[in-house]
Amino acid sequence: MLLDLTNGIFGSPSQLLRELDDKSLNKQLLHNRLKRSWVWNQFFVLEEYTGTEPLYVGKLHSDMDEGDGTIKYILTGDGAGTMFTIDDTTGDIHAIQRLDREERAQYTLRAQALDRSSNRPMEPESEFIIKIQDINDNEPKFLDGPYTASVPEMSPVGTSIIQVSATDADDPTYGNSARVLYSIVQGQPYFSVDSKTGIIRTALTNMDREAKEYYEVIIQAKDMGGQLGGLAGTTTVNITLSDVKDNPPRFPQKHYQMTVLESSPVNSTVGRVLAMDLDEGVNAEMKYTIIDGDGPEMFDVSTDPTYQVGVITVKKPLDFESKKSYILKIEGSNPHIEVRFSNLGPFRDTTTLHISVEDVDEPPVFESSHYFVEVSENVDIGTTIQIVSARDPDATNNSVRYSIDRNSDPGRYFYVDITTGALMTARPLDREDVAWHNLTILAMEMNNAAQVGSVPVTIKILDVNDNAPVFTKFLETFMCENAKAGQLIQTVSAIDHDDPPQGQHIYYSLAPEAANNPNFTLRDNQDNTAWILARKSGFKQAEQSIFYIPILIADNGQPILSSTGTLTIQVCSCNEEGDIMSCSAEPYTLPISLSRGALIAILACIFVLLVLVLLILSMRRQRKQPYTIDEEDNVHENIVRYDDEGGGEEDTEAFDIATLWSSREAHVGKSRQDMQPEIESLSRYVPQTCVMDNNVHSYMLAKLFEADTDVCAPPFDSLQTYMFEGDGSVAQSLSSLQSFSTDSEQSYDYLNDWGPRFKKLAEMYGAKDSNASL
């Protein structure tokens, strides 16, 4: 049997030759075998087929196929059933989809012949390849475009700038579909490109950045070797000319005119100059210097690094009266120069600057910048201690008036003459009070009060011996009764507020009245201190417990000043170790059998008992207080005087009497035990004909009880009873108004019978006790 794999209309001649050779070989060897294997081969199919019918690829055929349909062909592998189909009866293979070599260049398939009835393989499975044959269907593409590049200006012709590259997706091994050539579409005659490598180079000499800086070059890549019918792609290359130092600086003006005030401070700006440079960056950096003129010592020039301008500044203070104008010659130069462009120089330029100084009204100037004065503290008031002098520096030379800045002399110790500048004392000076004075003297122009100059004056007050030395504090010391002769009792020292030039030295001695003191003596240590020593042994506290030692203190000034201080020495009893036990005349001694700790315990117990007693008394007082009222604190004893009197029974305007007859208001409560019913005591003085109904009496008692038991009632809840005074009262009127009798003619002895609540009133108006007068 023979199974042929024949190619379709696109089969190759070599494949046909191989098939013929195989057939002749089969005739020679037919008697040695029953069948042979598949014939391996390849199919070639063009890509991008656009027909309406499936594309015929090839045909499978087996020797056992007699054309009766008993053989069944099967196709498996890459794309079988999706990209390629086979007629299972005839073995024809077709492509049912568009093939693209750039997506997949070949497919590997397997073919097999089966018995249609038994589905048994008639031939062994064989593998073959379908290759997609390329056509020129992809243009070249610049995957890295657009490009950006730079090249120095003035570069020689042929200077390499950048290389561009285009890729073609077509098969480079088949035909010229992927053979690319480069050309310039836009950018001539400035640049050129190598047709094979894509390297872009300069094509002109002396390309000047200052003339044109940016170029847009378009490069084309065309396949098929640039022939007609080839596909093309383009890209853009943006080329920038970088700067080189090829332009010298130039001043736009050869002469500048500037003005400056004579009062301009040092380092202040006068003006600016600029040397133009067409270059940029480092190549445009400038350096300015003063190379000539009559003002290099008065002015300076520096370069502003941001704007590359020359800044003219004041170097020294200016004076219009000394010099009114200056001339400067300024040079601007490039610090960075390229040797290959040195023929384009020189890279420097100069300009002339005229500076005029303008006059300003300046404040007065003192002859000295600082005055230092020394003056004794005992100088007389009005003494001239210094003369300050100032002048107007302007040409007008106005008169100057002097004064003291009072903020610098708050004590008003000094005065300055307004015209002469003589500084004088205005108050007594005391070095011990203020040793230094720092004044500010002002000088003001006569015609312009706004122009004021100042100068500091430091005044040192010189010392005069006008303070006697004194003890620093009250001196008191203690000594033991068993002090020995020559024992140090106290070290004394004094202070002197003066400050003599030769240094302080204080002398000590006993006062003349104590020069022959039998108990103590004094030793001057010659170091501004002295010792008080015991002259004898054995002092008795009972005989004399305090000694007063007068000490004479003198300084070494001129004249010598002295004072007397007193040292108080108290004699104390001491133990054997020298510790002071008692300094009183009759010291309290503890019994031998009672220690100090026991005494403290006893005192603590006594203190606790006292506290308990006070606590018990306080609690009892608090319990009694709600039921007893101190006569001094009884608010019901207050007498309210209105300088008028009631109308008694005839008064019907005080309140509505009908209210008193209301039976529902009349109720009697339990009376207070600590209060006496003064109303009952008063009723005996009222005639029986004046007594009203019992309801009124009960009402009064009920109201009185409510007032006494109400703890929230105010302290002025006194009961006003009008029926017991006035014209109808047995006591008559208590007021002296409209009375023909004097206080001496009236008797108030009955007030003593009204009870303790009227005690104070009885003491004021009633008869005095004869015993009390005695």
Side-chain angles (χ1 to χ4, degrees):
M1 291 186 298
L2 177 64
L3 177 62
D4 291 331
L5 181 64
T6 58
N7 197 14
I9 59 174
F10 300 104
S12 63
S14 59
Q15 180 180 355
L16 296 177
L17 292 175
R18 285 196 299 271
E19 291 180 0
L20 294 175
D21 293 338
D22 290 340
K23 289 180 180 181
S24 59
L25 182 60
N26 289 336
K27 291 180 180 180
Q28 296 176 5
L29 302 177
L30 185 60
H31 61 281
N32 293 328
R33 62 175 181 167
L34 296 175
K35 63 177 181 178
R36 68 174 189 174
S37 301
W38 292 88
V39 177
W40 178 91
N41 209 336
Q42 291 182 352
F43 289 98
F44 294 88
V45 182
L46 289 177
E47 64 173 335
E48 303 295 344
Y49 173 71
T50 58
T52 58
E53 298 294 332
L55 176 64
Y56 179 73
V57 178
K59 183 180 180 64
L60 294 179
H61 183 72
S62 174
D63 294 343
M64 298 179 180
D65 189 1
E66 297 178 356
D68 54 1
T70 59
I71 301 299
K72 180 181 179 181
Y73 297 97
I74 296 177
L75 185 66
T76 61
D78 296 338
T82 58
M83 301 294 296
F84 304 98
T85 60
I86 186 171
D87 190 324
D88 59 355
T89 303
T90 62
D92 293 333
I93 300 174
H94 291 82
I96 59 176
Q97 291 190 17
R98 184 180 64 84
L99 302 175
D100 188 356
R101 190 201 65 83
E102 286 70 39
E103 292 182 3
R104 187 161 186 173
Q106 65 181 21
Y107 296 87
T108 300
L109 298 169
R110 294 180 296 277
Q112 191 172 26
L114 302 177
D115 181 85
R116 189 178 294 274
S117 60
S118 63
N119 208 26
R120 180 176 58 84
M122 304 300 293
E123 297 284 351
E125 187 179 62
S126 181
E127 184 177 88
F128 65 96
I129 296 175
I130 298 178
K131 286 189 175 183
I132 310 303
Q133 194 170 0
D134 183 54
I135 64 174
N136 188 23
D137 59 345
N138 292 278
E139 73 277 2
K141 294 182 179 180
F142 294 91
L143 302 180
D144 297 329
Y147 297 85
T148 301
S150 64
V151 61
E153 62 174 331
M154 313 299 289
S155 296
V157 175
T159 301
S160 176
I161 302 175
I162 192 175
Q163 182 178 13
V164 297
S165 176
T167 59
D168 195 320
D170 293 326
D171 189 0
T173 63
Y174 180 77
N176 294 327
S177 298
R179 183 185 172 200
V180 178
L181 294 180
Y182 301 94
S183 62
I184 288 184
V185 178
Q186 175 181 311
Q188 294 176 335
Y190 306 103
F191 304 97
S192 64
V193 62
D194 189 290
S195 61
K196 295 181 179 180
T197 62
I199 297 176
I200 301 175
R201 294 182 172 86
T202 58
L204 286 180
T205 186
N206 298 329
M207 296 178 64
D208 191 0
R209 183 196 67 85
E210 289 71 31
K212 186 176 182 180
E213 184 175 2
Y214 300 101
Y215 295 86
E216 185 179 73
V217 179
I218 299 178
I219 303 297
Q220 176 183 270
K222 189 174 184 180
D223 59 12
M224 299 297 292
Q227 298 177 4
L228 291 176
L231 303 178
T234 61
T235 188
T236 302
V237 181
N238 296 308
I239 301 177
T240 303
L241 297 182
S242 59
D243 186 60
V244 297
K245 183 66 244 173
D246 60 341
N247 291 278
R250 293 291 181 264
F251 283 101
Q253 297 177 226
K254 289 301 180 181
H255 298 278
Y256 288 88
Q257 181 71 38
M258 297 182 182
T259 59
V260 60
L261 297 176
E262 64 171 333
S263 60
S264 298
V266 175
N267 296 325
S268 61
T269 300
V270 178
R272 291 173 174 81
V273 295
L274 173 63
M276 305 295 295
D277 193 329
L278 298 178
D279 296 321
E280 64 179 8
V282 177
N283 298 319
E285 289 184 1
M286 200 70 58
K287 179 181 179 182
Y288 297 91
T289 54
I290 300 176
I291 60 175
D292 199 3
D294 58 357
E297 72 283 355
M298 304 301 295
F299 300 94
D300 198 3
V301 62
S302 60
T303 302
D304 184 343
T306 303
Y307 301 102
Q308 299 299 320
V309 297
V311 181
I312 312 299
T313 56
V314 178
K315 189 176 181 180
K316 290 183 179 181
L318 303 173
D319 187 8
F320 173 81
E321 289 72 24
S322 300
K323 189 173 178 61
K324 298 179 176 59
S325 64
Y326 296 88
I327 296 177
L328 301 176
K329 189 174 184 179
I330 308 296
E331 179 185 77
S333 60
N334 294 125
H336 306 288
I337 300 176
E338 294 190 27
V339 178
R340 63 192 181 105
F341 300 114
S342 59
N343 60 317
L344 301 177
F347 291 90
R348 63 184 69 248
D349 196 16
T350 61
T351 188
T352 302
L353 176 61
H354 297 267
I355 301 178
S356 299
V357 180
E358 293 184 351
D359 186 29
V360 296
D361 191 4
E362 300 173 273
V365 178
F366 285 88
E367 293 181 353
S368 177
S369 60
H370 178 264
Y371 291 93
F372 178 78
V373 182
E374 293 182 340
V375 59
S376 298
E377 60 178 329
N378 61 349
V379 68
D380 296 333
I381 296 176
T383 302
T384 300
I385 61 175
Q386 179 69 41
I387 296 179
V388 297
S389 179
R391 64 176 183 83
D392 183 6
D394 297 319
T396 56
N397 194 16
N398 293 321
S399 299
V400 175
R401 295 295 180 261
Y402 301 93
S403 64
I404 297 177
D405 184 355
R406 287 308 174 186
N407 292 326
S408 64
D409 185 25
R412 304 295 193 270
Y413 287 97
F414 301 94
Y415 167 77
V416 64
D417 188 271
I418 190 173
T419 58
T420 63
L423 182 61
M424 298 172 286
T425 58
R427 287 180 55 189
L429 303 179
D430 187 0
R431 188 201 66 84
E432 288 72 34
D433 185 16
V434 182
W436 293 84
H437 296 269
N438 295 302
L439 306 182
T440 300
I441 306 298
L442 305 177
M444 180 182 66
E445 286 187 13
M446 188 69 175
N447 298 333
N448 188 357
Q451 297 299 326
V452 180
S454 63
V455 66
V457 179
T458 301
I459 302 174
K460 179 181 180 182
I461 308 303
L462 301 178
D463 184 56
V464 174
N465 191 32
D466 56 352
N467 291 278
V470 293
F471 282 140
T472 57
K473 59 183 179 179
F474 173 75
L475 288 182
E476 182 180 11
T477 188
F478 304 89
M479 64 174 291
C480 295
E481 290 179 315
N482 56 359
K484 305 298 182 182
Q487 180 178 334
L488 175 63
I489 303 302
Q490 179 67 35
T491 300
V492 297
S493 62
I495 61 172
D496 190 342
H497 294 288
D498 293 322
D499 186 17
Q502 64 274 18
Q504 273 189 358
H505 188 80
I506 300 176
Y507 301 94
Y508 301 89
S509 63
L510 293 177
E513 63 270 20
N516 298 322
N517 191 308
N519 300 313
F520 302 96
T521 184
L522 182 144
R523 178 187 298 174
D524 193 339
N525 297 324
Q526 301 298 317
D527 61 352
N528 294 333
T529 64
W531 288 350
I532 304 299
L533 306 174
R535 177 169 285 184
K536 68 175 185 177
S537 299
F539 291 84
K540 292 184 179 181
Q541 184 182 19
E543 296 178 357
Q544 186 174 356
S545 61
I546 298 177
F547 294 90
Y548 298 98
I549 311 299
I551 301 174
L552 182 65
I553 314 166
D555 59 18
N556 61 333
Q558 294 296 330
I560 297 176
L561 299 179
S562 63
S563 66
T564 300
T566 301
L567 171 64
T568 302
I569 302 176
Q570 189 169 358
V571 181
C572 304
S573 59
C574 304
N575 57 16
E576 296 179 356
E577 288 77 14
D579 298 330
I580 296 175
M581 299 297 295
S582 174
C583 294
S584 60
E586 296 178 0
Y588 175 78
T589 58
L590 296 175
I592 299 176
S593 60
L594 187 62
S595 64
R596 182 174 297 178
L599 178 61
I600 294 174
I602 293 172
L603 293 176
C605 292
I606 294 173
F607 176 76
V608 172
L609 290 175
L610 290 175
V611 172
L612 290 175
V613 171
L614 293 174
L615 183 60
I616 292 172
L617 293 176
S618 176
M619 293 177 63
R620 287 183 177 181
R621 183 177 181 87
Q622 289 180 359
R623 286 198 297 268
K624 292 181 178 181
Q625 187 172 1
Y627 300 98
T628 59
I629 301 178
D630 186 76
E631 294 181 358
E632 297 293 331
D633 297 333
N634 192 348
V635 298
H636 292 82
E637 294 179 358
N638 297 334
I639 298 177
V640 182
R641 302 183 63 179
Y642 297 95
D643 293 333
D644 58 358
E645 61 182 285
E649 296 176 350
E650 300 174 358
D651 187 358
T652 60
E653 296 180 359
F655 53 84
D656 189 4
I657 194 65
T659 306
L660 300 178
W661 292 94
S662 177
S663 59
R664 59 185 178 85
E665 293 290 340
H667 62 277
V668 179
K670 185 178 181 181
S671 62
R672 292 174 54 176
Q673 298 178 0
D674 61 327
M675 300 294 296
Q676 296 182 2
E678 285 81 7
I679 295 181
E680 295 181 2
S681 63
L682 291 174
S683 63
R684 68 176 181 269
Y685 294 100
V686 181
Q688 295 299 320
T689 57
C690 298
V691 177
M692 296 184 181
D693 189 81
N694 289 334
N695 291 336
V696 177
H697 185 260
S698 300
Y699 175 82
M700 293 296 181
L701 293 178
K703 290 299 181 181
L704 179 62
F705 177 78
E706 291 178 1
D708 292 338
T709 58
D710 188 6
V711 296
C712 298
F716 44 81
D717 57 344
S718 59
L719 179 64
Q720 303 292 338
T721 305
Y722 295 97
M723 63 181 296
F724 300 126
E725 63 180 1
D727 296 337
S729 174
V730 296
Q732 298 302 319
S733 176
L734 297 180
S735 174
S736 62
L737 299 176
Q738 298 179 354
S739 176
F740 296 98
S741 61
T742 62
D743 293 340
S744 60
E745 297 176 348
Q746 299 184 25
S747 176
Y748 300 100
D749 294 339
Y750 59 87
L751 295 176
N752 295 322
D753 299 331
W754 286 14
R757 299 185 63 180
F758 292 86
K759 181 180 178 180
K760 288 188 178 293
L761 189 62
E763 291 176 355
M764 295 174 60
Y765 292 93
K768 297 183 179 179
D769 190 359
S770 60
N771 296 332
S773 62
L774 294 176

